[in-house]
């Protein structure tokens, strides 16, 4: 994350939670990026729409606005 930040890169968070109740808990990730001063606007997984918009730009500018999100945000 520190190297990504130095090069103006983007991050996304994922979860390898062992149980369903822990999926999407990113407290440790958020604490770490805050500690190193990583810019919040360089995190792609802040919402489903933001992530899909990024993918659309990288995927031949394909419009993914009609993709239904399971989780709003």
């Amino acid at each position: 994350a520190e190297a990504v930040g130095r090069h103006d890169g983007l991050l996304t968070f994922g979860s390898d939670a062992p149980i369903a109740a822990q999926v999407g808990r990113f407290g440790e990730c958020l604490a770490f990026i805050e500690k190193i001063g990583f810019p919040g606007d360089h995190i792609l997984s802040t919402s489903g729409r933001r992530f899909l918009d990024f993918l659309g730009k990288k995927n031949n500018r394909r419009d993914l606005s009609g993709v239904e999100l399971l989780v709003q945000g």
Side-chain angles (χ1 to χ4, degrees):
E2 292 176 22
V4 172
R6 283 195 301 272
H7 296 282
D8 202 32
L10 303 168
L11 283 180
T12 187
F13 298 142
S15 173
D16 63 349
I19 59 173
Q22 293 178 348
V23 171
R25 291 189 180 175
F26 300 115
E28 290 181 27
C29 295
L30 295 171
F32 177 70
I33 63 163
E34 185 175 314
K35 179 181 173 184
I36 66 170
F38 193 89
D41 62 339
H42 282 67
I43 300 171
L44 293 175
S45 52
T46 56
S47 75
R49 177 54 48 208
R50 178 171 164 80
F51 189 71
L52 287 175
D53 288 347
F54 171 79
L55 291 178
K57 290 176 187 174
K58 293 296 182 185
N59 189 13
N60 298 321
R61 308 271 181 222
R62 185 171 287 169
D63 179 14
L64 299 175
S65 62
V67 173
E68 294 289 328
L69 298 176
L70 296 176
V71 178
Q72 294 298 320

